């Protein structure tokens, strides 16, 4: 279920999310604010609830901290890889210019990677720590966050066609 205690791994993951997003808030792509009013309110509710739960669980379950290597460690390796790919997407976004195409575009064939990769990272982290509350929270987050990104991406395609 999960053992309460501080997770430094969870803190590192949250920093991987919050730091690029703080820079993004100052470098939003042109046209982004026009997409926000049309966001599905149900998806937005899923996203917000998921954000609160994932943030809380990431910090309060010490199961996510590095343990002696075992077969479960591969879940952590996969989670770290997903988070590394997420950070690579941010590097691409800031290096190549803040555009909606880069923000919602695929990366290595992964659709809406700035939404899907962190969700995947937290699902895998939850599996690694055997904290099923984290897996459920990340899935709730994914429904909202990925759903909103797909909605925005769809709106962009409609305006471009």
């Amino acid at each position: 279920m999960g053992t309460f205690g501080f997770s430094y791994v969870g803190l590192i993951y949250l920093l991987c999310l919050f730091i690029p997003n703080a820079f993004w808030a100052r470098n939003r792509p042109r046209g982004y604010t026009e997409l926000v009013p049309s966001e599905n309110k149900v998806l937005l509710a899923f996203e917000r609830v998921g954000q609160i739960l994932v943030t809380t669980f990431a910090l309060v379950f010490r199961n996510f901290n590095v343990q002696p290597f075992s077969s479960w460690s591969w879940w952590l390796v996969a989670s770290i890889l997903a988070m590394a790919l997420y950070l690579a997407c941010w590097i691409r976004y800031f290096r190549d210019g803040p555009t909606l195409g880069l923000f919602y575009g695929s990366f290595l064939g992964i659709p809406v990677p700035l939404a899907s990769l962190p969700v995947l990272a937290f699902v895998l982290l939850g599996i690694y720590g055997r904290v099923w509350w984290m897996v459920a929270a990340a899935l709730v987050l994914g429904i909202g966050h990925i759903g909103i990104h797909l909605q925005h991406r769809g709106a962009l395609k409609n305006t471009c066609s």
Side-chain angles (χ1 to χ4, degrees):
M1 237 23 224
T3 305
F4 286 111
F6 178 71
S7 172
Y8 60 85
V9 171
L11 177 62
I12 291 167
Y13 272 52
L14 292 174
L15 290 172
C16 288
L17 293 178
F18 295 150
I19 292 171
N21 276 281
F23 285 107
W24 173 82
R26 290 189 241 149
N27 296 294
R28 289 185 179 154
R30 186 178 320 197
Y32 175 79
T33 54
E34 289 79 11
L35 297 172
V36 174
S38 65
E39 288 178 352
N40 181 300
K41 302 305 181 215
V42 173
L43 292 177
L44 188 59
F46 271 87
E47 181 184 47
R48 295 293 183 256
V49 168
Q51 288 171 335
I52 292 165
L53 293 174
V54 166
T55 299
T56 302
F57 295 159
L59 294 173
V60 303
F61 288 113
R62 65 181 180 183
N63 302 56
F64 305 131
N65 293 335
V66 177
Q67 305 294 323
F69 195 84
S70 72
S71 59
W72 281 96
S73 300
W74 291 109
W75 293 107
L76 179 60
V77 170
S79 179
I80 291 169
L81 178 61
M83 191 57 77
L85 288 172
Y86 170 74
L87 293 173
C89 289
W90 277 118
I91 291 168
R92 174 186 73 161
Y93 174 81
F94 290 119
R95 182 194 65 211
D96 295 347
T99 66
L100 288 171
L102 285 174
F103 192 63
Y104 295 111
S106 296
F107 182 73
L108 300 175
I110 301 165
V112 290
L114 288 172
S116 56
L117 287 169
V119 169
L120 177 61
F122 280 104
V123 166
L124 295 169
L125 185 65
I127 294 170
Y128 164 73
R130 298 178 213 169
V131 178
W132 309 118
W133 293 111
M134 173 63 92
V135 174
L139 292 174
V140 168
L141 172 62
I143 290 167
H145 196 52
I146 295 169
I148 288 170
H149 273 241
L150 289 172
Q151 181 186 14
H152 287 185
R153 190 180 74 176
L156 287 175
K157 286 183 180 179
N158 289 339
T159 59
C160 294
S161 38

